[in-house]
Amino acid sequence: MAFLFGDSNRKKELYSKILGKIEPEANPAVCALYDTAAGKCAEGLSMHSIAQILARGMMGTPTADPDWTFHWIMGPTFDDLSDPTGERMKIVTLFMKYIMLPCWFYSSEGAVIGSRNAEGEISAVNVVRVYRSGYSKQLGERLWDFRTTLREMLAGTIPSLYTNSNQKSLKTHVEARTDVLVETFARFHAQHAPGPHYYVALMAVLPDKQGQGHCSKLMRAINRAADTDQLPCYLECTGEKNKKVYMRFGYKMVHQFTLSVENPESGSGQSSDIYCMLREPGEHSVSVDK
């Protein structure tokens, strides 16, 4: 089981580094979303509900920008930020699980933390993974994608895009964009963070909770843990606004690129600019609300 679910003791140590560096009186909102002692999600939460929070933060609304990389993957068919059919939400939620679960369960050191608002509701989620031996994606980890898909099919939560034969062509286009993203992200990740490092796989704030400091609390918790281990932090982000936010946490841009596919779907072009960002241990950061 350790092969599939990682080392529970090392996960506990990671949570301790992240949360133990936080003064409760100063940041009472930052919390672990997985109870390592009980081996389950924190009370009132599930893997699905956490993935939905991540998806809501990523997919955007008519008044809040989406994560432009995932918006590009959705393509012109699902580009309506009001999501009238609800299918956009289902697809992004599934993508969040594909990213979150290997970091959370498979890896020896992975954590999911959240920031609560004054009412105790989760307003932001951060998924982080520690690569002690440098970046690599192993065979066992790849099996998690299949496991996640099977689980969603059995639960009846798989998006119709993946089950409706009438959407075969659309599914092909979405998967082509996804494959390009995965391959390109992996290539630049290995190039710019080849040694031991912390990887911020996901950072999402609910649209109506943005600008309230939730991202700042979570990113500072990760920075402090990485500084304790004297390791750099690596992430990818889209949009000039997000790049500037992470720069204020001590990150520096190390690469900029866009994504495109051969024979694209009609109405689909290249992605927005994507930034690879790296923070060296101890790098100074300044106050920022996000």
Side-chain angles (χ1 to χ4, degrees), residues 9 30 83 108 141 147 255 264:
N9 289 327
V30 178
D83 193 23
S108 295
E141 183 176 351
R147 180 185 184 277
H255 194 79

Side-chain angles (χ1 to χ4, degrees), residues 73-150:
I73 288 178
M74 291 296 96
T77 302
F78 301 112
D79 66 355
D80 188 341
L81 296 182
S82 66
D83 193 23
T85 67
E87 191 71 3
R88 180 181 170 93
M89 175 65 175
K90 291 179 181 178
I91 297 171
V92 178
T93 298
L94 178 63
F95 287 165
M96 295 300 100
K97 292 178 182 179
Y98 283 140
I99 299 170
M100 175 177 69
L101 292 178
C103 293
W104 191 349
F105 288 107
Y106 176 81
S107 65
S108 295
E109 291 183 83
V112 181
I113 59 174
S115 177
R116 297 183 184 273
N117 62 15
E119 290 72 38
E121 302 167 330
I122 300 297
S123 300
V125 175
N126 182 301
V127 180
V128 64
R129 177 172 180 174
V130 184
Y131 287 94
R132 293 287 175 186
S133 302
Y135 175 74
S136 65
K137 194 165 186 176
Q138 302 170 0
L139 175 61
E141 183 176 351
R142 293 188 178 98
L143 295 176
W144 273 95
D145 287 352
F146 173 76
R147 180 185 184 277
T148 300
T149 301
L150 180 61

Side-chain angles (χ1 to χ4, degrees), residues 126-272:
N126 182 301
V127 180
V128 64
R129 177 172 180 174
V130 184
Y131 287 94
R132 293 287 175 186
S133 302
Y135 175 74
S136 65
K137 194 165 186 176
Q138 302 170 0
L139 175 61
E141 183 176 351
R142 293 188 178 98
L143 295 176
W144 273 95
D145 287 352
F146 173 76
R147 180 185 184 277
T148 300
T149 301
L150 180 61
R151 182 188 181 112
E152 296 301 302
M153 292 181 69
L154 293 175
T157 54
I158 195 80
S160 62
L161 176 70
Y162 297 93
T163 59
N164 188 338
S165 60
N166 293 328
Q167 294 185 307
K168 184 176 180 180
S169 176
L170 179 58
K171 174 175 173 286
T172 299
H173 285 299
V174 172
E175 289 184 336
R177 290 188 290 267
T178 303
D179 289 344
V180 167
L181 180 146
V182 170
E183 187 278 328
T184 306
F185 272 38
R187 176 158 45 88
F188 289 136
H189 190 163
Q191 177 181 335
H192 296 295
H197 65 281
Y198 276 58
Y199 175 49
V200 180
L202 293 169
M203 176 66 246
V205 182
L206 293 176
D208 61 338
K209 308 301 181 186
Q210 294 176 7
Q212 299 176 18
H214 294 291
C215 175
S216 179
K217 292 174 185 176
L218 296 178
M219 291 301 297
R220 290 179 189 283
I222 299 303
N223 285 357
R224 282 188 288 264
D227 288 348
T228 297
D229 284 341
Q230 283 295 292
L231 291 179
C233 297
Y234 176 81
L235 59 78
E236 305 96 356
C237 71
T238 56
E240 187 70 17
K241 177 182 176 181
N242 286 331
K243 183 184 74 170
K244 290 180 178 179
V245 166
Y246 291 119
M247 288 176 67
R248 296 179 69 176
F249 295 131
Y251 285 80
K252 296 179 180 179
M253 186 187 75
V254 293
H255 194 79
Q256 177 179 345
F257 64 99
T258 59
L259 299 171
S260 61
V261 297
E262 295 182 2
N263 303 313
E265 178 182 9
S266 177
S268 174
Q270 68 179 23
S271 71
S272 299

